[in-house]
Amino acid sequence: MGFPLLSLIILTPAAGAAVLMFLRSDDAVRWAALGVTVIDLALTVVMLAGFDTATYEMQFTETRPWVPALGITYALGVDGISALFVFLTALLGSVSVLASWVAIDRRVKAFMISLLVMQALMLGVFSALDLFLFYVCWEAMLIPMYLIIGVWGGDGRVYAAFKFFLYTLAGSLLFLVGVIVLYFHGGETFDILVLMDQDLPFGVQSWLFFAFLVAFAVKVPMVPVHTWLPDAHVQAPTAGSIILAGVLLKMGAYGFLRFSLPMLPEASVYYSTLMLAISAVAIVYGGFLALAQDDLKKLVAYSSISHMGFVTLGIFALNARGLEGSILQMFNHGITTGALFLFVGLIYERTHTRSIAEYGGLMKVAPVYTAFLALFTLSSMALPGTNAFVGELLVLSGAFGANLAFGAVAILGAMLSAAYLLGMYRNIALGPVRVSAGPTLRDVNAREMAAILPLAAFVLWVGLYPKPFLDIIDTSVTHLLVEVHSRGRGQ
């Protein structure tokens, strides 16, 4: 075991949260939180720079005894499936602090502490190689996110936070039962790598598959357990929405990749058609719901349901293009939808309305804002040259390879996406200047640009030169597919 880089990445925001407790000035708290998240981001860049793309093995591994009597260890590691998510979490952490600079003006210290604790726990989820450690981080995340929505959210924040908590807790309880069953059927171990090598009976795999499905589907979220998402997004502060859309939604899909496919290969193959069908429904249903929205934040929230449908469609296509596309699309969705929620927050701070009908003509009064909004809107539409195009093309290619009908349905979802996103941009940026976007409305400032520019850079980088990102993913996906198809032929 070498330098404990992953521990440093996880503990930096946790230690930062502890330091913040001793600061009194709100400005000092903001600058300290930003400094901590930037340091954490730099550490994840070091991790990616040292990542070996030629192996599927876990890297930067650390193992220490935690509860020896139960075989629980503090075990960390990343592979091509999780490395990009560790980086994404750190990147959006910095963006979230910048997005909250002015928007959060009460209990600033408590908010920043919640944000940093949340970041540490999310990093723990993506790095954990012990199922018990994973579950602790997975469950503990509920608390800071509940506080972020329930304390610093909008007028309906208590209801939204309570609904978010109930839905995710219900899913997590089934996950806990699944973890216990897996522990006893997998040789009484929580070691994720050991559990991946177990050949469980098909009946046990089926039971576990549906228990995990409920837990992960709530997090994604998949239809019909998606109803907590619009409420949570609408009521959450901007940083909460960025974290929700950018990272939390990825954890459900990550669960399918880390647990369902490698540990339950027979069940994953057997129920793949069902999962493709559910994904196709989410793509179209989320698209129609987004099309009907006048609330800008709700539109972006419902678009996430549709876009995450593409992700699960790619996962259960169970081929290389689908899986690589789904992982890249998760990264892309974190960048693009995180940026869209940032833009919703910026305009809401200026106009105090999210009604699309009240906007108009922003291009004339805030040209920089609308220029970058155009970039992220086109990215969300998966226009060629942007990041989402690469991921969506791979997912569609994989979906058509797996099932022609579901691939065709996904095309309909892509068309809906273009309809509601172009309509949104037209109503906000074009036409005459309306009252809520009057001539005194200011454009983005330097601090806001500092949050926007890194996200814009990744939109273009992944869109124009995706090779470095696909290289990180490729070897691990190839190995995962070999395992799934070699061990999943029993049914």
Side-chain angles (χ1 to χ4, degrees):
M1 186 173 64
F3 183 75
L5 181 59
L6 287 178
S7 284
L8 198 57
I9 289 172
I10 294 170
L11 294 178
T12 295
V19 170
L20 257 57
M21 292 182 186
F22 298 98
L23 301 179
R24 294 186 176 181
S25 160
D26 285 349
D27 282 341
V29 167
R30 292 186 181 100
W31 281 107
L34 181 62
V36 167
T37 53
V38 170
I39 291 170
D40 210 32
L41 177 60
L43 290 171
T44 62
V45 172
V46 171
M47 178 204 72
L48 285 183
F51 189 83
D52 184 357
T53 58
T55 177
Y56 65 84
E57 301 282 357
M58 291 290 173
Q59 301 178 45
F60 307 102
T61 54
E62 303 171 34
T63 305
R64 291 181 179 81
W66 186 9
V67 188
L70 293 174
I72 298 172
T73 56
Y74 173 81
L76 303 175
V78 291
D79 62 358
I81 292 172
S82 56
L84 283 178
F85 300 133
V86 172
F87 172 76
L88 177 67
T89 303
L91 174 64
L92 293 182
S94 301
V95 171
S96 298
V97 172
L98 288 169
S100 309
W101 208 268
V102 175
I104 301 300
D105 56 2
R106 58 186 175 89
R107 299 180 182 176
V108 175
K109 183 194 294 187
F111 179 83
M112 292 299 179
I113 288 173
S114 299
L115 214 55
L116 291 179
V117 169
M118 184 83 192
Q119 180 164 328
L121 293 169
M122 292 186 297
L123 291 166
V125 165
F126 290 126
S127 304
L129 291 183
D130 183 278
L131 192 50
F132 186 83
L133 176 62
F134 177 94
Y135 184 77
V136 168
C137 294
W138 172 280
E139 274 294 280
M141 281 187 315
L142 290 180
I143 299 169
M145 183 48 77
Y146 176 85
L147 293 174
I148 287 171
I149 298 172
V151 176
W152 292 276
D155 292 339
R157 59 185 181 274
V158 174
Y159 170 77
F162 190 64
K163 192 173 181 181
F164 160 78
F165 195 88
L166 274 186
Y167 266 72
T168 47
L169 182 65
S172 295
L173 290 176
L174 262 180
F175 184 53
L176 176 61
V177 175
V179 167
I180 294 170
V181 171
L182 197 56
Y183 174 79
F184 285 108
H185 280 85
E188 299 191 4
T189 178
F190 288 106
D191 188 323
I192 289 174
L193 299 181
V194 172
L195 290 171
M196 285 179 180
D197 290 332
Q198 302 298 315
D199 286 319
L200 302 175
F202 180 72
V204 175
Q205 287 197 29
S206 290
W207 193 94
L208 286 170
F209 183 86
F210 284 103
F212 287 174
L213 170 60
V214 173
F216 301 150
V218 170
K219 274 280 198 297
V220 169
M222 301 176 78
V223 176
V225 288
H226 65 285
T227 59
W228 65 268
L229 183 71
D231 291 319
H233 269 307
V234 168
Q235 298 302 328
T238 299
S241 291
I242 292 172
I243 295 297
L244 261 177
V247 184
L248 250 68
L249 304 193
K250 312 297 172 293
M251 291 186 176
Y254 178 73
F256 288 127
L257 291 165
R258 183 58 80 214
F259 300 108
S260 300
L261 264 59
M263 294 181 188
L264 317 169
E266 284 185 60
S268 296
V269 172
Y270 187 77
Y271 296 112
S272 60
T273 305
L274 170 67
M275 296 303 296
L276 290 175
I278 296 174
S279 303
V281 168
I283 291 170
V284 176
Y285 186 65
F288 275 117
L289 287 174
L291 197 59
Q293 300 306 312
D294 177 60
D295 185 303
L296 185 54
K297 213 170 186 183
K298 274 191 177 179
L299 185 151
V300 181
Y302 279 118
S303 77
S304 288
I305 295 171
S306 181
H307 288 144
M308 289 305 292
F310 278 97
V311 169
T312 51
L313 187 77
I315 291 173
F316 286 96
L318 296 180
N319 54 45
R321 285 166 296 178
L323 268 179
E324 288 187 8
S326 69
I327 295 170
L328 186 62
Q329 196 64 350
M330 279 194 271
F331 180 77
N332 293 336
H333 182 264
I335 296 291
T336 300
T337 305
L340 287 176
F341 276 117
L342 172 64
F343 273 69
V344 173
L346 294 180
I347 198 63
Y348 181 75
E349 287 173 19
R350 291 158 170 77
T351 63
H352 302 290
T353 179
R354 289 192 302 266
S355 171
I356 296 173
E358 295 182 35
Y359 295 127
L362 274 184
M363 185 177 285
K364 295 169 184 167
V365 293
V368 177
Y369 175 91
T370 49
F372 279 101
L373 178 62
L375 175 68
F376 293 117
T377 301
L378 295 174
S379 164
S380 193
M381 287 168 48
L383 196 81
T386 63
N387 54 344
F389 173 75
V390 183
E392 201 163 298
L393 183 67
L394 284 168
V395 167
L396 287 173
S397 176
F400 274 110
N403 188 304
L404 198 61
F406 295 129
V409 172
I411 292 289
L412 174 61
M415 293 168 64
L416 285 171
S417 168
Y420 61 74
L421 287 166
L422 285 176
M424 175 200 78
Y425 188 80
R426 180 197 62 203
N427 288 327
I428 291 175
L430 307 179
V433 178
R434 294 183 182 156
V435 175
S436 58
T440 57
L441 188 143
R442 66 173 174 82
D443 212 334
V444 292
N445 58 30
R447 172 184 55 79
E448 292 160 348
M449 282 298 292
I452 294 167
L453 283 177
L455 303 176
F458 278 102
V459 167
L460 297 175
W461 185 2
V462 179
L464 299 174
Y465 188 59
K467 185 176 182 302
F469 301 88
L470 291 173
D471 284 348
I472 291 173
I473 298 167
D474 181 64
T475 308
S476 293
V477 163
T478 302
H479 173 71
L480 175 60
L481 282 171
V482 168
E483 290 292 308
V484 170
H485 288 296
S486 63
R487 295 164 53 205
R489 293 174 179 164
Q491 294 298 316

